[in-house]
Amino acid sequence: MHAHAAPLVLPAVRFAGVVRHFGAVRAVDGVDLAIAPGEFFAMLGPSGSGKTTCLRLIAGFEQPDDGHIEIFGETVEGLPPYRRAVNTVFQDYALFPHLSVGENVAYGLRVRGIGRADRDRMAREALAMVKLSGMETRRPAQLSGGQRQRVALARALVVRPKVLLLDEPLGALDLKLREEMQSELKGLQRALGLTFVFVTHDQSEALSMADRVAVFNEGRIVQVGPPEEVYERPATRFVARFVGSANVLEAREALALGAPARPSSLRPEKIVLLAPGAPVPEGAALVEARVTDVSYQGPVRRVSAVTGEGLALTAAVPATASGVMAGATVRLAVPAGAVRPMGGEQ
Ligand SMILES: Nc1ncnc2c1ncn2[C@@H]1O[C@H](COP(=O)(O)OP(=O)(O)OP(=O)(O)O)[C@@H](O)[C@H]1O
């Protein structure tokens, strides 16, 4: 964006040069971002990369040491959490064990001074939204993990925030439930038209749910864009490796595969295992390599191999491919365009 061009829509959340240090730890180290209203925005990165601190800065549980934060155009520095148009769903749900489900959900309304009848109605509506109608009188201890997660969601939504902050909300759920909740959350976000800011260290979760993904490393955003772009065109080595474990090629290695001499990424699933005698596809580079390791992963096998020149590649090939075992020599085709140049260094 040009500095002089006014944005077309006021961002739901805007960070300008935001810094948060804890002693010598640069938890958030100069972050700029603009999250659009109604956007599902994922913050993805390894443990300790600063995602949660960014979320806490939006919520108002942390204050920036430097930089500026706006929520729908309003400067929020110094504004306490309850005065911001945001609400948070925590990973551990933070439900009150001694209150019923209905009371948990209505809690935020009670502290805002909303009367009994309205509270009950709004809590019932919020519980219906997360498919928990009829559970009002249960205690959190009488619910499954997935149901508790829904109560936490209803409790956050009932006060009608403009931005919902979710800190690894599905982290405690098993895989199947997690996948169900991913599509439900996404559906809910679309139906309500709310802005969701979602923190996760799970790259497939970020890619499948978000409109845009910001990849964090060491307190900075190293790439931000739609999932396809982050996956297909990682900007840095870190993004290439962290999102989908791409092969990272040095400039001379890219050149040897017929691509421009630039540091580049190559997705394992783009590499084609050629059957013995099969012709090399048009425009592809042919590589002969000795298999060093094979790992079966259900639909695919991940094959690690090294060429005579010492180029190590990982390919994801159909699990049905035969004759692939450690020590075997394989012919791999790297299609033209599969080698993608990277700009940044971090
Ligand atoms: N209150 C605090 N006091 C001291 N250091 C902190 C505090 N909060 C966070 N940090 C440090 O700041 C860095 C970033 O932490 P943060 O929780 O934002 O990372 P994260 O990417 O969310 O990681 P995770 O996925 O593990 O939650 C870490 O090194 C962390 O130890």
Side-chain angles (χ1 to χ4, degrees):
M1 206 193 311
H2 300 290
H4 57 269
L8 293 175
V9 219
L10 211 52
V13 178
R14 193 169 84 87
F15 274 34
V18 171
V19 171
R20 179 67 174 129
H21 293 173
F22 298 105
V25 179
R26 302 164 81 84
V28 175
D29 197 18
V31 165
D32 298 303
L33 59 81
I35 301 173
E39 188 169 35
F40 197 125
F41 191 86
M43 294 179 169
L44 172 68
S47 185
S49 58
K51 314 174 297 285
T52 298
T53 304
C54 277
L55 209 67
R56 293 172 57 81
L57 283 161
I58 302 172
F61 301 128
E62 297 285 350
Q63 295 298 326
D65 294 314
D66 200 358
H68 179 63
I69 301 175
E70 284 173 14
I71 297 175
F72 284 97
E74 185 186 17
T75 297
V76 293
E77 282 99 66
L79 213 57
Y82 62 88
R83 297 272 315 280
R84 301 184 181 201
V86 306
N87 213 350
T88 308
V89 178
F90 298 98
Q91 178 176 2
D92 61 4
Y93 314 147
L95 299 177
F96 301 116
H98 58 287
L99 297 184
S100 70
V101 165
E103 288 163 341
N104 262 284
V105 174
Y107 181 80
L109 301 171
R110 203 170 77 193
V111 300
R112 282 168 174 77
I114 291 169
R116 179 76 193 246
D118 283 337
R119 265 184 353 235
D120 286 354
R121 178 183 49 80
M122 290 166 81
R124 261 200 316 279
E125 284 169 8
L127 282 166
M129 233 159 22
V130 300
K131 302 186 179 154
L132 283 184
S133 293
M135 298 272 189
E136 283 82 353
T137 58
R138 292 221 195 158
R139 296 285 156 123
Q142 297 170 303
L143 300 176
S144 70
Q147 289 170 331
R148 272 181 227 155
Q149 211 282 332
R150 286 160 198 264
V151 176
L153 195 59
R155 189 180 59 175
L157 288 171
V158 79
V159 296
R160 309 210 172 136
K162 289 194 197 163
V163 181
L164 191 67
L165 308 174
L166 303 111
D167 191 0
E168 302 253 0
L170 311 179
L173 306 180
D174 64 55
L175 184 64
K176 180 146 188 311
L177 197 53
R178 202 177 162 117
E179 285 173 353
E180 270 172 39
M181 282 305 292
Q182 284 174 3
S183 72
E184 268 192 42
L185 262 184
K186 182 78 197 156
L188 200 58
Q189 185 260 345
R190 275 208 201 100
L192 297 173
L194 276 183
T195 310
F196 273 32
V197 185
F198 189 99
V199 163
T200 182
H201 61 261
D202 179 335
Q203 48 110 359
S204 67
E205 188 161 284
L207 295 179
S208 67
M209 298 178 81
D211 297 315
R212 278 194 308 153
V213 179
V215 184
F216 279 73
N217 187 25
E218 296 178 350
R220 296 191 183 164
I221 294 179
V222 286
Q223 186 170 6
V224 58
E228 296 82 359
E229 191 180 300
V230 170
Y231 188 81
E232 292 288 337
R233 303 200 172 273
T236 71
R237 289 157 206 269
F238 173 81
V239 178
R241 291 202 175 99
F242 187 74
V243 182
S245 316
N247 294 288
V248 171
L249 306 174
E250 299 306 328
R252 63 180 166 75
E253 294 171 331
L255 188 65
L257 293 173
R262 299 258 306 274
S264 299
S265 69
L266 170 59
R267 290 284 169 204
E269 68 274 16
K270 298 261 165 80
I271 301 176
V272 182
L273 174 72
L274 295 178
V280 181
E282 175 91 29
L286 176 67
V287 168
E288 286 209 357
R290 190 175 47 77
V291 176
T292 53
D293 189 45
V294 181
S295 126
Y296 176 70
Q297 300 189 330
V300 297
R301 284 179 213 273
R302 282 182 88 84
V303 178
S304 303
V306 62
T307 67
E309 293 77 43
L311 169 62
L313 287 178
T314 299
V317 307
T320 47
S322 57
V324 188
M325 59 192 85
T329 298
V330 288
R331 294 163 72 231
L332 302 173
V334 178
V339 176
R340 299 276 167 86
M342 296 182 300
E345 280 306 304
Q346 203 189 5

